[in-house]
Amino acid sequence: MSSHAVMHAPVGGRLLTPAFKALLAAIAVGAAAAAWRFAAGIGAVSNLSDGYPWGIWIGIDVVTGTALGCGGYAIALLVYVLNKGEYHPLVRPAILTSLLGYGLAVLAVMIDLGRFWNLWKVPVYFWRWTHSPQLEVALCVATYVAVLLVELSPAAFEKWRKTGSTALRAWSERGLRFMDRALIWILALGLLLPTMHQSSLGTMMLLPATKLHALWFTAWLPLLFLVNAVLMGYGAVVLEGHLAARAFKRPLETEMFARLGRIILWVAAGWLAFRVITVAGDLPLVASGIGVAFLVEVGLHLAVIWLLASEVRRRSPGQQFRAAMLLVVAGTLYRINVYLVAFNPGSHWSYFPAVPELLITFGIIALEIAIYIAAVRTFPILSGHPQPEAAR
């Protein structure tokens, strides 16, 4: 752990910039809409119905948000399973992104639940729902948030051990020693839990069966969702790296992202080929209105593969950013298609999010960005230049 301490440093600087104040304003508007939801009921702020019990709070904030939060999982697979230690500088910011994605997904679930005050019963009376994939998702996501907090704790310990408080310094040193000893077990949990619940997010959409369009319904949905989460995690890591480098004037890890791009290329190509093969018998259905959504989804993935297929483009910062953005958009579209667009409960049902639903989702996204900025300015999370020994 000590060698990692010299690789990360707080960004520092003024927090209350105009951009940060704009984020606070979006959070305040979203919080006001959420307060109205809890005061007046879910029907007062949403267009959810018996036909569409899940809207954008689940389709975007949870299903898509947790996939974007899989950067920590995806990078951990490389660093700790495939022994690619060269990507270690990406681990800590990826874990922070994961923590925010999963933590705020839990918040979105609480807003979406009709009787949210009964949420505590899920872990206490878990045997009542052992037949439901939602139980696995709920328990795994909640546990994974706790695991991510532990995984990120060295950033706090490294900051606090430099404070003037003797007690806080001693507590931080004990925390770092504990993390050194327990890291392998924490990592094992951190790899197991996303594997379970990301595949279960696909399993849940096996249940509607005939209500899901044939171009998206396949028995392989659990595997497709799991690998899609890995791809979106890689995309989020590259995007976060580029945006952080530009916003905080940090060195850009161009060479590292170029090497990561080769891995993304093969995973994306394999995922897309398998995705198309699993619905090959229904491909004539693309000649329909909803088939356009399928074609756009496939086209976006093909664009990512084309961008990353060239060594020159992989080494270009601009092309890296475009490929990562397209990867995130393509993965987001796939998940929204499965949960909302391709889901048809009957011709007499329809859904489009109400304005308060949108405001709450925008507020959650703004909250995630604001916490990220505050965290990297305060704690040693982003990679930086090694400091001299005397300075530590």
Side-chain angles (χ1 to χ4, degrees):
M1 301 297 291
S2 58
S3 62
H4 300 166
V6 300
M7 298 172 62
H8 303 89
V11 171
R14 189 164 62 96
L15 182 59
L16 289 177
T17 60
F20 195 84
K21 291 176 182 176
L23 290 172
L24 293 180
I27 294 168
V29 172
W36 179 243
R37 173 261 174 270
F38 288 116
I42 200 167
V45 299
S46 76
N47 285 336
L48 299 177
S49 61
D50 289 341
Y52 284 94
W54 291 341
I56 59 170
W57 294 334
I58 297 299
I60 293 180
D61 300 346
V62 176
V63 178
T64 303
T66 56
L68 291 172
C70 274
Y73 170 64
I75 295 299
L77 284 173
L78 282 180
V79 174
Y80 300 110
V81 177
L82 301 179
N83 200 27
K84 301 286 186 181
E86 65 206 78
Y87 297 106
H88 200 282
L90 302 177
V91 170
R92 196 171 285 183
I95 291 175
L96 172 61
T97 307
S98 297
L99 176 60
L100 295 175
Y102 276 86
L104 295 178
V106 173
L107 175 62
V109 168
M110 293 185 66
I111 294 172
D112 183 80
L113 285 177
R115 291 185 288 181
F116 57 89
W117 55 86
N118 284 330
L119 190 58
W120 65 273
K121 294 181 179 178
V122 174
V124 175
Y125 302 109
F126 64 89
W127 59 85
R128 295 180 179 177
W129 303 284
T130 51
H131 60 287
S132 171
Q134 284 178 291
L135 174 68
E136 181 186 335
V137 173
L139 295 181
C140 285
V141 168
T143 308
Y144 190 45
V145 170
V147 169
L148 287 168
L149 277 170
V150 174
E151 286 183 331
L152 196 60
S153 64
F157 293 144
E158 287 168 13
K159 178 176 178 61
W160 293 336
R161 73 176 177 178
K162 296 175 183 176
T163 65
S165 168
T166 304
L168 191 55
R169 286 203 306 272
W171 188 72
S172 298
E173 292 294 347
R174 284 198 295 274
L176 287 170
R177 286 196 294 274
F178 168 79
M179 287 300 296
D180 272 338
R181 291 194 298 270
L183 184 62
I184 187 170
W185 303 106
I186 297 167
L187 286 173
L189 265 179
L191 291 171
L192 173 66
L193 294 171
T195 303
M196 293 173 64
H197 67 250
Q198 285 297 334
S199 58
S200 290
L201 286 175
T203 302
M204 286 203 296
M205 292 312 290
L206 291 177
L207 303 180
T210 55
K211 294 178 181 176
L212 188 59
H213 193 278
L215 287 173
W216 285 270
F217 183 82
T218 164
W220 293 98
L221 270 175
L223 180 61
L224 286 170
F225 262 65
L226 176 62
V227 181
N228 175 258
V230 173
L231 279 172
M232 291 184 70
Y234 286 142
V237 166
V238 176
L239 266 187
E240 181 267 338
H242 276 261
L243 293 175
R246 181 172 299 182
F248 304 122
K249 297 180 171 49
R250 312 282 288 189
L252 181 61
E253 304 283 3
T254 307
E255 287 300 315
M256 191 180 302
F257 290 146
R259 292 193 297 273
L260 184 60
R262 181 185 290 273
I263 297 171
I264 297 173
L265 167 66
W266 290 110
V267 178
W271 183 88
L272 181 60
F274 190 69
R275 161 88 175 92
V276 174
I277 289 171
T278 56
V279 295
D282 298 301
L283 285 179
L285 295 176
V286 297
S288 62
I290 199 170
V292 174
F294 176 86
L295 292 175
V296 172
E297 185 188 302
V298 171
L300 288 171
H301 280 96
L302 284 174
V304 172
I305 293 168
W306 179 81
L307 281 172
L308 296 178
S310 160
E311 179 75 18
V312 174
R313 289 194 291 270
R314 280 201 301 273
R315 293 183 178 281
S316 163
Q319 302 290 23
Q320 289 174 0
F321 184 84
R322 291 184 189 94
M325 178 64 77
L326 285 173
L327 192 59
V328 167
V329 173
T332 298
L333 182 60
Y334 171 68
R335 288 176 177 249
I336 291 177
N337 281 344
V338 173
Y339 267 76
L340 293 176
V341 177
F343 176 72
N344 183 6
S347 58
H348 53 296
W349 297 106
S350 64
Y351 171 76
F352 190 81
V355 172
E357 286 181 79
L358 293 169
L359 293 178
I360 290 173
T361 292
F362 293 153
I364 289 175
I365 295 171
L367 178 60
E368 182 171 354
I369 298 172
I371 296 176
Y372 175 89
I373 293 172
V376 299
R377 286 195 183 281
T378 307
F379 296 100
I381 291 172
L382 296 183
S383 59
H385 299 293
Q387 301 174 22
E389 186 67 26
R392 283 182 274 144

